[in-house]
Amino acid sequence: PITPGELLCLGSSLAFSGLFYYLYRKKARVVARIQEAPKLQVDNDLPALVSAADGRCLPYVALEGVVLPAKAALTSHYHEGLQGVIQKLLLKEHRLIWNSLARSW
């Protein structure tokens, strides 16, 4: 004899397992698309390739080449000799609205 509590635990366990498997497969497809991304060199042909693409956008490409910093390269505090640059910094500020019911912003 199986009790209703055991059935509830079994059902919720199966539901959570199915949900996590679905999320795992979804992320695995994204990782596979990124790993299959074409590798392009940063050279004079790149602007023509981008302008010829649909919507002037290349989804999931890996760019290989040398970049130069605008001012100074960023150095790592944890790995000596490791340097990097920031491509673009985007700051998005969300508007706060007072919620009088919860008395919070």
Side-chain angles (χ1 to χ4, degrees), residues 8-28:
L8 179 67
C9 289
L10 178 65
S12 63
S13 175
L14 287 173
F16 279 121
S17 295
L19 173 69
F20 292 136
Y21 183 72
Y22 167 75
L23 293 174
Y24 165 75
R25 294 300 302 159
K26 187 175 177 182
K27 296 299 178 185

Side-chain angles (χ1 to χ4, degrees), residues 3-68:
T3 64
E6 291 173 338
L7 283 175
L8 179 67
C9 289
L10 178 65
S12 63
S13 175
L14 287 173
F16 279 121
S17 295
L19 173 69
F20 292 136
Y21 183 72
Y22 167 75
L23 293 174
Y24 165 75
R25 294 300 302 159
K26 187 175 177 182
K27 296 299 178 185
R29 284 192 298 267
V30 172
V31 169
R33 281 188 63 195
I34 291 173
Q35 288 178 341
E36 294 170 358
K39 294 181 180 176
L40 303 175
Q41 295 292 326
V42 178
D43 56 5
N44 294 335
D45 299 333
L46 186 61
L49 193 87
V50 171
S51 63
D54 292 337
R56 298 179 52 116
C57 179
L58 296 172
Y60 294 124
V61 293
L63 293 177
E64 296 177 340
V66 178
V67 295
L68 299 174

Side-chain angles (χ1 to χ4, degrees), residues 73-84:
L74 302 172
T75 56
S76 174
H77 297 288
Y78 304 108
H79 301 285
E80 193 168 323
L82 188 65
Q83 295 183 338

